[in-house]
């Protein structure tokens, strides 16, 4: 059964139940009130009859005119003695007279429903000197009230039916409005699955403030994120294959040069081997960077361990100074022990990227600074090298962005370093900025939140 049918049925059944309970309550309330009023009338009448001493005297019960004055249409008045024998009776209704005769000690009342006609009976004891001599029984056929109750019943049945119809019809319409966004969502999902491209829900279904509107909005946000991720991935694959093609082409052409002339011309062989070697190194670096980049694209969770920055800076700077045979100075404020939360391995990688740039694009010493500033740690890497033209600075964090191609040859860079650096900083909830100018040296400043224990 569809959700919509279930909703319609459920709401209709509820409404119907409520109406039935309401109608039944009304019916019985009216029935009780009217019966009570009629019963009171009969009690009164019985009191009037018994107030007459003549009617209380068993000797007079044989008098045919004893009860004649109390006869009324649709009424029964009779006296039953202790043996259960009718001693006097007047009645205009056979149905009332057919009511079983029985002597009743004390008071009594009963309501009988025969073929849709209600009859009310009351019994009142006839007493003398503390003894009960018989029972005065009064019966009344409630014709008008029965008709009236029949009408009321029919009316209530009809209202229940009408309410059910209204509930079903309105349920049909309101569930259509209610379910439409879900149907739309399903259609959109199916469309995405079939056509294999991302489609968002029409804003009509994603702008309402209710739960369904929020569902649509969340769905659209999710699709937008997937779209972005997909686009980034496609761009990444396109960029990566483009970047890989250049060194591979160089290697391929030198290899064929080698196979053609390598045997006869030692100078060609030498050049080719060197070129293949340096391109292979570049390729290796490029693949390493690409793999690192791909790791970030997967968006894996960042480990949150406390990382003490000073030992990390000292170790990395020392190692790189040895490897590049360059002076790398560390300027750390006295007594500071900055600690941040994150991945030690990634922070090391970040430092390597910045030092690699500083060493590649300058000849002088490189200066690393580290200080605490409020709730932040400020890390700087500065060099006195060739600097970066102002117009290039906004693009430095783009993937594969290089300032100019002549520099690339000199350093063999792929333009991925700073883009990876930016992602590492972002994942640590930090900021990265570059101050530089052509020929004015470069300073990269990173802020990271301090770990608070
Ligand atoms: N300290 C610096 N001094 C001068 N130019 C710099 C400096 N750091 C970066 N650049 C410029 O910014 C560009 C982007 O740097 P990035 O580190 O992203 O790439 P890369 O160094 O070319 O390649 P790699 O991926 O190998 O690091 C570089 O090509 C370089 O021109
Ligand atoms: Mg670099």
């Amino acid at each position: 059964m569809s959700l919509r049918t279930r909703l319609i049925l459920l709401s209709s059944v509820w409404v119907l139940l409520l109406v039935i309970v309401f109608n039944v309550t009304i019916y019985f309330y009216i029935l009780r009130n009217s019966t009570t009023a009629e019963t009171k009338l009969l009690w009164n009448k019985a009191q009037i009859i018994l107030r007459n001493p003549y009617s209380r005297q068993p000797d007079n019960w044989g008098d045919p005119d004893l009860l004649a004055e109390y006869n009324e249409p649709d009424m029964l008045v009779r006296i039953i003695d202790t043996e259960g024998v009718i001693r006097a009776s007047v009645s205009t209704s056979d149905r009332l007279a057919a009511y079983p005769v029985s002597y009743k000690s004390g008071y009594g009342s009963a309501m009988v429903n025969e073929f849709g006609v209600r009859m009310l009976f009351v019994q009142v004891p006839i007493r003398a000197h503390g003894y009960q001599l018989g029972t005065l029984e009064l019966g009344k056929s409630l014709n008008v009230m029965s008709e009236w109750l029949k009408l009321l019943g029919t009316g209530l049945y009809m209202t229940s039916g009408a309410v059910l119809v209204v509930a079903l019809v309105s349920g049909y319409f309101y569930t259509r409005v209610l379910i439409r966004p879900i149907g739309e969502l399903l259609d959109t999902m199916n469309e995405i699955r079939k056509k294999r491209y991302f489609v968002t829900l029409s804003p009509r279904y994603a702008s309402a403030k209710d739960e369904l509107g929020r569902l649509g909005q969340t769905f659209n946000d999710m699709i937008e994120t997937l779209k972005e991720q997909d686009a980034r991935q496609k761009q990444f694959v396109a960029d990566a294959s483009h970047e890989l093609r250049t060194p591979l082409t160089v290697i391929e052409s030198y290899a064929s040069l080698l196979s053609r002339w390598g045997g006869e011309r030692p100078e060609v062989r030498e050049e080719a081997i060197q070129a293949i070697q340096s391109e292979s190194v570049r390729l290796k670096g490029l693949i390493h960077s690409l793999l690192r980049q791909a790791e970030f694209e997967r968006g894996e969770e960042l480990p949150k361990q406390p990382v003490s920055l000073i030992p990390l800076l000292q170790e990395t700077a020392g190692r790189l100074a040895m490897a590049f045979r360059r002076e790398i100075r560390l300027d750390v404020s006295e007594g500071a022990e900055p600690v941040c939360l994150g991945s030690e391995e990634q922070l090391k990688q970040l430092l390597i990227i910045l030092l690699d740039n500083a060493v590649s694009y300058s000849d002088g010493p490189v200066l690393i600074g580290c200080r605490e500033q409020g709730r932040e740690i400020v890390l700087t890497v500065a060099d006195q090298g060739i600097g970066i033209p102002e117009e290039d600075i906004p693009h430095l964090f783009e993937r594969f962005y290089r300032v100019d191609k002549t520099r690339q040859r000199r350093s063999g860079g792929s333009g991925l370093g700073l883009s990876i650096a930016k992602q590492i900083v972002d994942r640590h909830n930090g900021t990265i900025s570059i101050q530089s100018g052509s020929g004015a040296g470069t300073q990269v400043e990173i802020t990271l939140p301090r770990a608070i224990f």
Side-chain angles (χ1 to χ4, degrees), residues 289 353 356-358 361 383 386-388 396 401-404 407 411-419 442:
S289 300
I353 290 170
D356 178 56
N357 282 350
Y361 306 110
D383 64 66
I386 55 176
I388 305 162
L396 290 177
Y401 189 84
R402 296 177 206 110
V403 171
D404 72 52
R407 295 176 174 217
S411 68
S414 61
L416 278 173
L418 287 177
S419 130
T442 303

Side-chain angles (χ1 to χ4, degrees), residues 218-365:
T218 311
F219 176 81
N220 278 358
D221 291 349
M222 188 185 77
I223 292 296
E224 285 301 338
T225 314
L226 286 176
K227 235 186 201 171
E228 266 169 38
Q229 240 171 32
D230 187 59
R232 263 194 293 155
Q233 234 157 39
K234 279 189 182 135
Q235 185 64 41
F236 177 69
V237 172
D239 289 352
S241 51
H242 179 261
E243 291 303 313
L244 288 171
R245 204 173 298 137
T246 325
L248 282 174
T249 314
V250 175
I251 291 175
E252 190 192 13
S253 53
Y254 271 109
S256 55
L257 198 70
L258 200 59
S259 74
R260 241 182 296 147
W261 305 107
E264 300 148 35
R265 294 165 61 180
E267 74 283 3
V268 171
R269 188 171 61 221
E270 206 46 43
E271 188 196 330
I273 288 173
Q274 258 187 18
I276 288 173
Q277 205 173 19
S278 76
E279 283 306 306
S280 304
V281 170
R282 199 164 101 75
L283 200 58
K284 204 168 113 190
L286 181 61
I287 287 172
H288 180 262
S289 300
L290 283 174
L291 288 178
R292 170 61 58 151
Q293 183 87 23
E295 243 170 60
F296 287 122
E297 297 291 331
R298 275 206 301 276
E300 275 162 21
E301 194 64 21
L302 175 80
K304 291 264 183 218
Q305 282 148 2
V307 182
S308 188
L309 286 176
I310 304 292
L312 184 127
L313 292 178
Q314 280 166 341
E315 189 205 319
T316 317
R319 267 191 17 219
L320 291 189
M322 287 269 284
F324 293 126
R325 293 180 202 291
R326 287 282 292 278
E327 188 186 347
I328 300 179
R329 276 187 227 147
L330 204 60
D331 176 20
V332 181
S333 44
E334 221 23 53
E337 273 185 37
V339 177
C340 71
L341 282 185
S343 150
E344 180 168 349
E345 202 230 329
Q346 287 187 19
L347 290 171
K348 206 181 277 181
Q349 162 99 18
L350 169 69
L351 201 62
I352 292 173
I353 290 170
L354 301 183
L355 288 177
D356 178 56
N357 282 350
V359 169
S360 306
Y361 306 110
S362 78
D363 298 318

